[in-house]
Amino acid sequence: MSIAIPFIAFLLVGAIAAYHRLRLPVWAALTATALVACWLLGANGTATVVAAIVTAVIAVPLLLPQFRLPFITKPLLGFYTKILPPLSETERVALEAGTVGWEGQLFSGKPDWDVLHNQPRPTLSADEQAFLDGPVEELCKMIDDWQITHVDADLSPELWDFIKKNKFFGMIVPKEYGGLGFTALGNHKVIQKLASMSSVVSSTVGVPNSLGPAELLMHYGTQEQKDHYLPRLADGREVPCFGLTGPWAGSDATSIPDYGIVCMGEWNGARVVGVKLTFDKRYITLAPVATLIGLAFRMYDPDGLIGDKQDIGITLALLPRDTAGVEIGRRAMPLNSPFQNGPIRGKDVFIPLSQLIGGEAYAGKGWQMLVECLSIGRSITLPSTASGGSKFGAVVTGSYARIRKQFGLSVGRFEGVEEALARIGGNAYTISALAEASAAAVARGELPAVPSTISKYHCTELGREVARDTMDIIGGKGIILGPRNFAGRNWQAAPIMITVEGANIMTRSLMIFGQGAILCHPWVLKEMKAATLPDPAERLREFDRNLFGHIGFAISNAVRSFWFGLTSARLGKAPGDAYTRRYYRKLNRYSAALALCADTSMLLLGGKLKFKESLSGRLGDVLSNLYIASALLKRYQDEGCPVTDQPLLAWSIHNATFKIEKAFSGALRNFPIRPVGWLLWALVFPLGRRAQYPSDRLGHKVASLLMSPNEARDRLGKGVFLTPTANNPGGRIASYLQKAVLAEPVERKFLKALKQKGIEAHDFASQLEEGVREGWITADERRQLEELRELTIDTISVDDFDPSELRAATSEIGKRDSRYAA
């Protein structure tokens, strides 16, 4: 028997054990059994003995704690302590603030899909559904986006009153405080529907139900603060805003220069201990109309009035608008989207300690409070807004592309337009699934630090792509602003969502993988904590347990990644039905490859990894698209696996896997240590990149779904406002699709007759009259074609104006700041 047989057996058993993640004693026993079998079957004796010695050299020291701990683990602990990247207090708080959900499984290299499938299907309560069918529907009917954005640059008094009266600002406030007590899912559905009509209205409603005084009070407020403020926030007596961003601290919120000095002062006629605040905030949504201001600042106690610590840290407070010294600046105009936004300033503004959110007990804990609530707020408002706009855009643009004809053919039948329609449909389906997944995570009680950043980044980026493709397809209908335009304002506002709540560049390159690599990894955070335990013996034992668990984890992921790459993920246990099982297998492969690349990057780059933003961003793209694909499969399962949705699912999954392989390729081709990059490439792509962008054939199916009445299209458009009212031009266009499709055979017959019979009349009405007279069409068909002409005209018409209607209401607008004027 060949001399290589024992070594092949050694490697094969090791690979199988690593793939299935068997424990070290099991691997040693299986290897010993395999080598004995080789010897009995006549394998080369010397080779068998050498393989046995190698097995013993690996297994025996590792299986004996009295040897492993002092001679292997202890030196490795010393090395690990040296390369361990220092965690600032800010980073430590951010890591400890979030919880780990499904994203942890994706970092495991071997996802347990039952965890995902067993999550309850997102379902609205009876009260939430009634609110959507009642007040939300009514509010959408009242919205005139052109009046809001062009004429008034604000919501009408009637809209403000309706929003407050129906407690739109108190959706998240518990019922015992007079609010609606909605879940995060209910909040998501409301914002989604409002966003389909007006991003100004959706942001106005969304902000008070996102990061702000209500959310912070619910989690950290004193009982007195809750009893006083929450009922007033719920019914609109108080309009909240929250001041975090300033001129010198945008995304770097922990470096805010705004400060408060603990001192004695006057409050309501009494002399009390409080804080004298100096602050300068900008880009604060609702600031111009706010009556209650939440404020983040750094608190100092130089005279030791409340303790021994002078630099207390970031603290949060509540300031009534009429507090002496508070200055609300003039309004900002973010890309002509007139949601209320502006600066807040104050100098030597005194408030008592009772105005600190949570009271004196929470002084200095502001960053922790913000991080915990940011993961909630970031999961809802912007993803929901992107979802509403994208779903609305998909349904309406599909109708437009079918109704609008050029060269005698619906424009949606041209392949170039089909490509854009396919992107719109697939991206809208993706955004909808991702936005609902992040809202559902919050509704389950999670603090989804990593999923919230994934959802915010990718929903807003994909939403911008949908807005762009919509504008390309509808052409002049999109660029001519006016009451008939359903898309122009969304296109204008798209960069706003990209910029706020953490700029997307920073979110992608620093946050997604930066947090995920530590928070979601099954071993890294445990190792970091073990390495800092005060007791030396306990520190060594805990580090040993986690270190060797991590080593086995890394070996397993290398084997799994290579095996899946060799087989193109066609083999292996996976859930799903005959249609979806292939997708689950692909995600298993990419999960193992992500864990492998993440481990290698952290081991070799250590603390330098946080500065390798291109690498971090690309690995973050892998994690993001794994999470997105999981959300797509979960949505498909929750919907009952409808066959008609399969083109949308397939396009979205293929797009996600294509992006995953592209991200891996960019990361490995640019890996800072080139030989390591080559080795990783061999393990991740042993047969090269195989994932392909969605095919034209698949894109044609998606485009056809958007341009025809069907169940998949209805499901995609569920939850947005499509009622064909006078102020909803998109809803009217969507409602025309059925009639347009039914009229097409008659239209083709009539046009053919015009061409072949040589009708002398030139105007449309005379042509129809002659067609009826000659018997080419019936009287009913004539009425059908007249209706088709009317709905087509409404679909394609744009607005025009007298010059006076476009002139700014005040000549002050447009004047330059005199400080910088030439």
CSV table of all heavy atoms in Angstrom, one decimal, residues 263-317:
chain,number,residue,atom,x,y,z
A,263,CYS,N,-22.9,74.0,39.3
A,263,CYS,CA,-22.8,75.2,40.1
A,263,CYS,C,-24.1,75.4,40.8
A,263,CYS,O,-25.1,74.6,40.6
A,263,CYS,CB,-22.4,76.4,39.2
A,263,CYS,SG,-23.7,76.7,37.9
A,264,MET,N,-24.2,76.4,41.6
A,264,MET,CA,-25.5,76.8,42.2
A,264,MET,C,-26.1,77.9,41.3
A,264,MET,O,-25.5,78.7,40.6
A,264,MET,CB,-25.2,77.4,43.6
A,264,MET,CG,-24.5,76.5,44.6
A,264,MET,SD,-25.5,75.1,45.0
A,264,MET,CE,-26.9,75.9,45.8
A,265,GLY,N,-27.5,77.8,41.3
A,265,GLY,CA,-28.2,78.8,40.4
A,265,GLY,C,-29.6,78.9,40.8
A,265,GLY,O,-30.1,78.2,41.7
A,266,GLU,N,-30.4,79.8,40.1
A,266,GLU,CA,-31.8,80.0,40.4
A,266,GLU,C,-32.6,79.2,39.4
A,266,GLU,O,-32.4,79.2,38.2
A,266,GLU,CB,-32.1,81.5,40.3
A,266,GLU,CG,-31.4,82.4,41.2
A,266,GLU,CD,-31.9,82.3,42.7
A,266,GLU,OE1,-33.1,81.9,42.8
A,266,GLU,OE2,-31.2,82.5,43.6
A,267,TRP,N,-33.7,78.6,40.0
A,267,TRP,CA,-34.6,77.8,39.2
A,267,TRP,C,-36.0,77.9,39.8
A,267,TRP,O,-36.1,77.4,41.0
A,267,TRP,CB,-34.2,76.4,39.0
A,267,TRP,CG,-35.1,75.6,38.1
A,267,TRP,CD1,-36.1,74.7,38.4
A,267,TRP,CD2,-35.0,75.5,36.6
A,267,TRP,NE1,-36.7,74.2,37.3
A,267,TRP,CE2,-36.0,74.7,36.2
A,267,TRP,CE3,-34.2,76.2,35.7
A,267,TRP,CZ2,-36.3,74.4,34.9
A,267,TRP,CZ3,-34.5,75.9,34.4
A,267,TRP,CH2,-35.5,75.0,33.9
A,268,ASN,N,-36.9,78.5,39.2
A,268,ASN,CA,-38.3,78.7,39.7
A,268,ASN,C,-38.3,79.3,41.1
A,268,ASN,O,-39.0,78.9,42.0
A,268,ASN,CB,-39.0,77.3,39.7
A,268,ASN,CG,-39.3,76.8,38.4
A,268,ASN,OD1,-39.4,77.5,37.4
A,268,ASN,ND2,-39.4,75.4,38.3
A,269,GLY,N,-37.4,80.3,41.2
A,269,GLY,CA,-37.4,81.1,42.5
A,269,GLY,C,-36.6,80.5,43.6
A,269,GLY,O,-36.6,81.1,44.7
A,270,ALA,N,-36.0,79.3,43.4
A,270,ALA,CA,-35.2,78.7,44.5
A,270,ALA,C,-33.8,78.5,44.0
A,270,ALA,O,-33.5,78.4,42.8
A,270,ALA,CB,-35.8,77.3,44.8
A,271,ARG,N,-32.9,78.5,45.0
A,271,ARG,CA,-31.5,78.4,44.7
A,271,ARG,C,-31.1,76.9,44.8
A,271,ARG,O,-31.3,76.3,45.9
A,271,ARG,CB,-30.6,79.2,45.7
A,271,ARG,CG,-29.1,79.3,45.3
A,271,ARG,CD,-28.4,80.4,46.0
A,271,ARG,NE,-27.0,80.5,45.6
A,271,ARG,CZ,-26.5,80.9,44.5
A,271,ARG,NH1,-27.4,81.4,43.6
A,271,ARG,NH2,-25.2,80.9,44.2
A,272,VAL,N,-30.7,76.3,43.7
A,272,VAL,CA,-30.4,74.8,43.7
A,272,VAL,C,-29.1,74.5,43.0
A,272,VAL,O,-28.5,75.4,42.3
A,272,VAL,CB,-31.6,74.1,43.0
A,272,VAL,CG1,-32.9,74.3,43.7
A,272,VAL,CG2,-31.7,74.6,41.5
A,273,VAL,N,-28.7,73.3,43.2
A,273,VAL,CA,-27.5,72.8,42.5
A,273,VAL,C,-27.9,72.4,41.1
A,273,VAL,O,-29.0,71.8,40.9
A,273,VAL,CB,-26.9,71.6,43.2
A,273,VAL,CG1,-25.7,71.1,42.3
A,273,VAL,CG2,-26.4,71.9,44.6
A,274,GLY,N,-27.2,72.9,40.1
A,274,GLY,CA,-27.5,72.6,38.7
A,274,GLY,C,-26.3,72.6,37.8
A,274,GLY,O,-25.2,72.5,38.2
A,275,VAL,N,-26.6,72.9,36.5
A,275,VAL,CA,-25.5,72.9,35.5
A,275,VAL,C,-25.7,74.1,34.7
A,275,VAL,O,-26.8,74.4,34.2
A,275,VAL,CB,-25.6,71.6,34.6
A,275,VAL,CG1,-24.4,71.6,33.6
A,275,VAL,CG2,-25.6,70.4,35.4
A,276,LYS,N,-24.6,74.8,34.4
A,276,LYS,CA,-24.6,76.0,33.5
A,276,LYS,C,-24.1,75.5,32.2
A,276,LYS,O,-22.9,75.1,32.1
A,276,LYS,CB,-23.8,77.1,34.1
A,276,LYS,CG,-23.9,78.4,33.3
A,276,LYS,CD,-23.2,79.6,34.0
A,276,LYS,CE,-24.0,80.0,35.3
A,276,LYS,NZ,-23.3,81.2,35.9
A,277,LEU,N,-24.9,75.6,31.2
A,277,LEU,CA,-24.6,75.0,29.9
A,277,LEU,C,-24.2,76.0,28.8
A,277,LEU,O,-24.8,77.1,28.7
A,277,LEU,CB,-25.9,74.2,29.3
A,277,LEU,CG,-26.4,73.1,30.2
A,277,LEU,CD1,-27.8,72.7,29.7
A,277,LEU,CD2,-25.5,71.9,30.0
A,278,THR,N,-23.2,75.6,28.0
A,278,THR,CA,-22.8,76.4,26.8
A,278,THR,C,-22.8,75.4,25.7
A,278,THR,O,-22.0,74.4,25.7
A,278,THR,CB,-21.5,77.1,27.0
A,278,THR,OG1,-21.6,78.0,28.1
A,278,THR,CG2,-21.1,77.8,25.7
A,279,PHE,N,-23.6,75.7,24.6
A,279,PHE,CA,-23.6,74.7,23.5
A,279,PHE,C,-23.9,75.4,22.2
A,279,PHE,O,-24.5,76.5,22.1
A,279,PHE,CB,-24.7,73.6,23.8
A,279,PHE,CG,-26.1,74.2,24.1
A,279,PHE,CD1,-27.0,74.4,23.1
A,279,PHE,CD2,-26.4,74.6,25.4
A,279,PHE,CE1,-28.3,75.0,23.4
A,279,PHE,CE2,-27.7,75.1,25.7
A,279,PHE,CZ,-28.6,75.3,24.7
A,280,ASP,N,-23.6,74.6,21.1
A,280,ASP,CA,-23.9,75.1,19.8
A,280,ASP,C,-24.1,73.9,18.9
A,280,ASP,O,-23.2,73.1,18.6
A,280,ASP,CB,-22.6,75.9,19.2
A,280,ASP,CG,-22.8,76.4,17.8
A,280,ASP,OD1,-24.0,76.3,17.3
A,280,ASP,OD2,-21.9,77.0,17.3
A,281,LYS,N,-25.4,73.6,18.6
A,281,LYS,CA,-25.8,72.5,17.8
A,281,LYS,C,-26.4,72.9,16.5
A,281,LYS,O,-26.9,73.9,16.3
A,281,LYS,CB,-26.8,71.7,18.6
A,281,LYS,CG,-26.4,71.3,20.0
A,281,LYS,CD,-25.4,70.2,20.0
A,281,LYS,CE,-25.2,69.7,21.4
A,281,LYS,NZ,-24.1,68.6,21.5
A,282,ARG,N,-26.2,72.0,15.5
A,282,ARG,CA,-26.8,72.3,14.2
A,282,ARG,C,-27.4,71.0,13.5
A,282,ARG,O,-27.1,69.9,14.0
A,282,ARG,CB,-25.8,72.9,13.2
A,282,ARG,CG,-24.6,72.1,12.9
A,282,ARG,CD,-23.7,72.8,11.9
A,282,ARG,NE,-22.6,71.9,11.5
A,282,ARG,CZ,-21.7,72.2,10.5
A,282,ARG,NH1,-21.9,73.4,9.8
A,282,ARG,NH2,-20.7,71.5,10.2
A,283,TYR,N,-28.1,71.2,12.5
A,283,TYR,CA,-28.8,70.1,11.8
A,283,TYR,C,-29.8,69.4,12.7
A,283,TYR,O,-30.1,68.2,12.5
A,283,TYR,CB,-27.8,69.1,11.2
A,283,TYR,CG,-26.7,69.6,10.4
A,283,TYR,CD1,-25.5,68.9,10.4
A,283,TYR,CD2,-26.8,70.7,9.6
A,283,TYR,CE1,-24.4,69.4,9.6
A,283,TYR,CE2,-25.8,71.2,8.8
A,283,TYR,CZ,-24.6,70.5,8.8
A,283,TYR,OH,-23.5,71.0,8.1
A,284,ILE,N,-30.5,70.1,13.6
A,284,ILE,CA,-31.3,69.5,14.5
A,284,ILE,C,-32.8,69.5,14.0
A,284,ILE,O,-33.4,70.5,13.9
A,284,ILE,CB,-31.3,70.2,15.9
A,284,ILE,CG1,-29.8,70.4,16.3
A,284,ILE,CG2,-32.1,69.4,16.9
A,284,ILE,CD1,-29.0,69.1,16.4
A,285,THR,N,-33.3,68.3,13.7
A,285,THR,CA,-34.6,68.1,13.1
A,285,THR,C,-35.7,68.5,14.2
A,285,THR,O,-35.6,68.0,15.3
A,285,THR,CB,-34.8,66.7,12.6
A,285,THR,OG1,-33.9,66.5,11.6
A,285,THR,CG2,-36.2,66.5,12.0
A,286,LEU,N,-36.6,69.3,13.8
A,286,LEU,CA,-37.7,69.8,14.6
A,286,LEU,C,-37.3,70.9,15.5
A,286,LEU,O,-38.2,71.5,16.2
A,286,LEU,CB,-38.4,68.7,15.4
A,286,LEU,CG,-39.2,67.7,14.6
A,286,LEU,CD1,-40.0,66.7,15.5
A,286,LEU,CD2,-40.2,68.3,13.6
A,287,ALA,N,-36.1,71.3,15.5
A,287,ALA,CA,-35.6,72.4,16.4
A,287,ALA,C,-36.4,73.7,16.2
A,287,ALA,O,-36.8,74.3,17.2
A,287,ALA,CB,-34.1,72.7,16.2
A,288,PRO,N,-36.8,74.1,15.0
A,288,PRO,CA,-37.5,75.4,14.9
A,288,PRO,C,-38.9,75.4,15.6
A,288,PRO,O,-39.4,76.5,15.9
A,288,PRO,CB,-37.6,75.6,13.4
A,288,PRO,CG,-36.4,74.9,12.8
A,288,PRO,CD,-36.3,73.7,13.7
A,289,VAL,N,-39.5,74.2,15.7
A,289,VAL,CA,-40.8,74.2,16.3
A,289,VAL,C,-40.8,73.5,17.6
A,289,VAL,O,-41.9,73.3,18.2
A,289,VAL,CB,-41.8,73.5,15.3
A,289,VAL,CG1,-42.0,74.3,14.1
A,289,VAL,CG2,-41.4,72.1,15.0
A,290,ALA,N,-39.7,73.0,18.1
A,290,ALA,CA,-39.6,72.2,19.3
A,290,ALA,C,-39.9,73.1,20.5
A,290,ALA,O,-39.6,74.2,20.6
A,290,ALA,CB,-38.2,71.6,19.5
A,291,THR,N,-40.6,72.4,21.5
A,291,THR,CA,-40.9,73.1,22.8
A,291,THR,C,-40.0,72.4,23.9
A,291,THR,O,-39.9,72.9,25.0
A,291,THR,CB,-42.3,73.0,23.1
A,291,THR,OG1,-42.7,71.6,23.2
A,291,THR,CG2,-43.2,73.6,22.1
A,292,LEU,N,-39.5,71.2,23.6
A,292,LEU,CA,-38.7,70.5,24.6
A,292,LEU,C,-37.4,70.0,23.9
A,292,LEU,O,-37.5,69.3,22.9
A,292,LEU,CB,-39.5,69.3,25.2
A,292,LEU,CG,-38.7,68.5,26.2
A,292,LEU,CD1,-38.5,69.4,27.5
A,292,LEU,CD2,-39.5,67.3,26.6
A,293,ILE,N,-36.3,70.4,24.4
A,293,ILE,CA,-35.0,70.1,23.7
A,293,ILE,C,-34.2,69.1,24.5
A,293,ILE,O,-34.0,69.3,25.7
A,293,ILE,CB,-34.2,71.4,23.6
A,293,ILE,CG1,-34.9,72.4,22.7
A,293,ILE,CG2,-32.8,71.1,22.9
A,293,ILE,CD1,-34.4,73.8,22.9
A,294,GLY,N,-33.9,68.0,23.9
A,294,GLY,CA,-32.9,67.0,24.5
A,294,GLY,C,-31.5,67.5,24.1
A,294,GLY,O,-31.3,67.9,23.0
A,295,LEU,N,-30.6,67.4,25.0
A,295,LEU,CA,-29.3,68.0,24.8
A,295,LEU,C,-28.2,67.0,25.3
A,295,LEU,O,-28.3,66.5,26.4
A,295,LEU,CB,-29.1,69.3,25.4
A,295,LEU,CG,-27.8,70.1,25.1
A,295,LEU,CD1,-28.0,70.7,23.7
A,295,LEU,CD2,-27.6,71.2,26.1
A,296,ALA,N,-27.1,66.8,24.5
A,296,ALA,CA,-26.0,66.0,24.9
A,296,ALA,C,-24.8,67.0,25.1
A,296,ALA,O,-24.6,67.9,24.3
A,296,ALA,CB,-25.6,65.0,23.8
A,297,PHE,N,-24.1,66.9,26.2
A,297,PHE,CA,-23.0,67.8,26.5
A,297,PHE,C,-22.0,67.0,27.5
A,297,PHE,O,-22.4,66.0,28.0
A,297,PHE,CB,-23.5,69.0,27.2
A,297,PHE,CG,-24.2,68.8,28.5
A,297,PHE,CD1,-23.5,68.9,29.7
A,297,PHE,CD2,-25.5,68.4,28.6
A,297,PHE,CE1,-24.1,68.7,31.0
A,297,PHE,CE2,-26.1,68.2,29.8
A,297,PHE,CZ,-25.4,68.3,31.0
A,298,ARG,N,-20.8,67.6,27.6
A,298,ARG,CA,-19.9,67.0,28.5
A,298,ARG,C,-20.0,67.8,29.8
A,298,ARG,O,-19.9,69.0,29.9
A,298,ARG,CB,-18.4,67.1,28.0
A,298,ARG,CG,-17.4,66.5,28.9
A,298,ARG,CD,-16.1,66.3,28.2
A,298,ARG,NE,-16.1,65.2,27.2
A,298,ARG,CZ,-16.0,63.9,27.5
A,298,ARG,NH1,-15.8,63.5,28.7
A,298,ARG,NH2,-16.0,63.1,26.5
A,299,MET,N,-20.1,67.1,30.9
A,299,MET,CA,-20.4,67.7,32.2
A,299,MET,C,-19.1,67.7,33.1
A,299,MET,O,-18.4,66.7,33.2
A,299,MET,CB,-21.5,66.9,32.9
A,299,MET,CG,-22.0,67.4,34.2
A,299,MET,SD,-23.5,66.5,34.7
A,299,MET,CE,-23.7,67.1,36.4
A,300,TYR,N,-18.9,68.8,33.8
A,300,TYR,CA,-17.7,69.0,34.6
A,300,TYR,C,-18.2,69.5,36.0
A,300,TYR,O,-19.2,70.2,36.1
A,300,TYR,CB,-16.8,70.0,34.1
A,300,TYR,CG,-16.2,69.7,32.7
A,300,TYR,CD1,-16.8,70.1,31.5
A,300,TYR,CD2,-15.0,68.9,32.6
A,300,TYR,CE1,-16.2,69.7,30.3
A,300,TYR,CE2,-14.5,68.5,31.4
A,300,TYR,CZ,-15.1,69.0,30.2
A,300,TYR,OH,-14.6,68.6,29.0
A,301,ASP,N,-17.5,69.1,37.0
A,301,ASP,CA,-17.8,69.5,38.4
A,301,ASP,C,-16.5,69.9,39.1
A,301,ASP,O,-15.9,69.3,40.0
A,301,ASP,CB,-18.4,68.3,39.2
A,301,ASP,CG,-18.8,68.7,40.6
A,301,ASP,OD1,-18.9,69.9,40.9
A,301,ASP,OD2,-19.0,67.7,41.4
A,302,PRO,N,-16.0,71.1,38.7
A,302,PRO,CA,-14.7,71.6,39.2
A,302,PRO,C,-14.6,71.8,40.7
A,302,PRO,O,-13.6,71.7,41.4
A,302,PRO,CB,-14.4,72.9,38.4
A,302,PRO,CG,-15.8,73.4,38.0
A,302,PRO,CD,-16.6,72.1,37.8
A,303,ASP,N,-15.8,72.2,41.3
A,303,ASP,CA,-15.9,72.5,42.7
A,303,ASP,C,-16.3,71.3,43.6
A,303,ASP,O,-16.5,71.4,44.8
A,303,ASP,CB,-16.8,73.7,43.0
A,303,ASP,CG,-16.3,74.9,42.3
A,303,ASP,OD1,-15.1,75.1,42.2
A,303,ASP,OD2,-17.2,75.7,41.8
A,304,GLY,N,-16.5,70.1,43.0
A,304,GLY,CA,-16.9,68.9,43.7
A,304,GLY,C,-18.2,69.0,44.4
A,304,GLY,O,-18.4,68.5,45.5
A,305,LEU,N,-19.2,69.7,43.8
A,305,LEU,CA,-20.5,69.9,44.4
A,305,LEU,C,-21.3,68.6,44.4
A,305,LEU,O,-22.2,68.4,45.3
A,305,LEU,CB,-21.3,70.9,43.6
A,305,LEU,CG,-20.7,72.4,43.7
A,305,LEU,CD1,-21.6,73.3,42.9
A,305,LEU,CD2,-20.5,72.8,45.1
A,306,ILE,N,-21.0,67.6,43.5
A,306,ILE,CA,-21.8,66.4,43.5
A,306,ILE,C,-20.9,65.1,43.6
A,306,ILE,O,-21.4,64.0,43.5
A,306,ILE,CB,-22.7,66.3,42.3
A,306,ILE,CG1,-21.8,66.2,41.0
A,306,ILE,CG2,-23.7,67.4,42.2
A,306,ILE,CD1,-22.7,66.0,39.7
A,307,GLY,N,-19.6,65.3,43.9
A,307,GLY,CA,-18.7,64.2,44.0
A,307,GLY,C,-17.3,64.6,43.8
A,307,GLY,O,-16.9,65.7,43.7
A,308,ASP,N,-16.4,63.5,43.8
A,308,ASP,CA,-15.0,63.8,43.7
A,308,ASP,C,-14.5,63.9,42.2
A,308,ASP,O,-13.4,64.4,42.0
A,308,ASP,CB,-14.2,62.6,44.4
A,308,ASP,CG,-14.5,62.5,45.9
A,308,ASP,OD1,-14.8,63.6,46.4
A,308,ASP,OD2,-14.5,61.4,46.4
A,309,LYS,N,-15.3,63.4,41.3
A,309,LYS,CA,-14.9,63.4,39.9
A,309,LYS,C,-15.1,64.7,39.2
A,309,LYS,O,-16.3,65.2,39.3
A,309,LYS,CB,-15.6,62.3,39.2
A,309,LYS,CG,-15.1,62.0,37.8
A,309,LYS,CD,-15.8,60.8,37.2
A,309,LYS,CE,-15.2,60.4,35.8
A,309,LYS,NZ,-16.0,59.3,35.2
A,310,GLN,N,-14.1,65.3,38.6
A,310,GLN,CA,-14.3,66.6,38.0
A,310,GLN,C,-14.9,66.5,36.6
A,310,GLN,O,-15.8,67.2,36.2
A,310,GLN,CB,-13.0,67.4,37.9
A,310,GLN,CG,-12.5,67.9,39.3
A,310,GLN,CD,-11.4,68.9,39.2
A,310,GLN,OE1,-10.9,69.2,38.2
A,310,GLN,NE2,-10.9,69.3,40.4
A,311,ASP,N,-14.3,65.6,35.7
A,311,ASP,CA,-14.8,65.4,34.4
A,311,ASP,C,-15.8,64.2,34.5
A,311,ASP,O,-15.4,63.0,34.4
A,311,ASP,CB,-13.6,65.0,33.4
A,311,ASP,CG,-14.1,64.9,32.0
A,311,ASP,OD1,-15.3,64.9,31.7
A,311,ASP,OD2,-13.2,64.7,31.1
A,312,ILE,N,-17.0,64.5,34.5
A,312,ILE,CA,-18.1,63.5,34.7
A,312,ILE,C,-18.4,62.8,33.4
A,312,ILE,O,-18.7,61.6,33.5
A,312,ILE,CB,-19.3,64.2,35.3
A,312,ILE,CG1,-19.0,64.7,36.7
A,312,ILE,CG2,-20.5,63.2,35.4
A,312,ILE,CD1,-20.1,65.5,37.3
A,313,GLY,N,-18.3,63.4,32.3
A,313,GLY,CA,-18.5,62.8,31.0
A,313,GLY,C,-19.7,63.2,30.3
A,313,GLY,O,-20.4,64.2,30.8
A,314,ILE,N,-20.0,62.6,29.2
A,314,ILE,CA,-21.2,63.0,28.4
A,314,ILE,C,-22.5,62.7,29.2
A,314,ILE,O,-22.7,61.7,29.8
A,314,ILE,CB,-21.2,62.2,27.1
A,314,ILE,CG1,-20.0,62.6,26.2
A,314,ILE,CG2,-22.5,62.5,26.3
A,314,ILE,CD1,-19.9,61.9,24.9
A,315,THR,N,-23.3,63.7,29.2
A,315,THR,CA,-24.6,63.7,30.0
A,315,THR,C,-25.7,64.2,29.1
A,315,THR,O,-25.5,65.0,28.2
A,315,THR,CB,-24.4,64.6,31.3
A,315,THR,OG1,-23.3,64.1,32.0
A,315,THR,CG2,-25.6,64.5,32.1
A,316,LEU,N,-26.9,63.8,29.4
A,316,LEU,CA,-28.1,64.2,28.6
A,316,LEU,C,-29.0,65.0,29.5
A,316,LEU,O,-29.2,64.7,30.7
A,316,LEU,CB,-28.8,63.0,28.0
A,316,LEU,CG,-27.9,62.0,27.3
A,316,LEU,CD1,-28.8,60.9,26.7
A,316,LEU,CD2,-27.1,62.7,26.2
A,317,ALA,N,-29.6,66.0,29.0
A,317,ALA,CA,-30.5,66.9,29.7
A,317,ALA,C,-31.8,67.3,28.9
A,317,ALA,O,-31.8,67.2,27.7
A,317,ALA,CB,-29.8,68.1,30.2
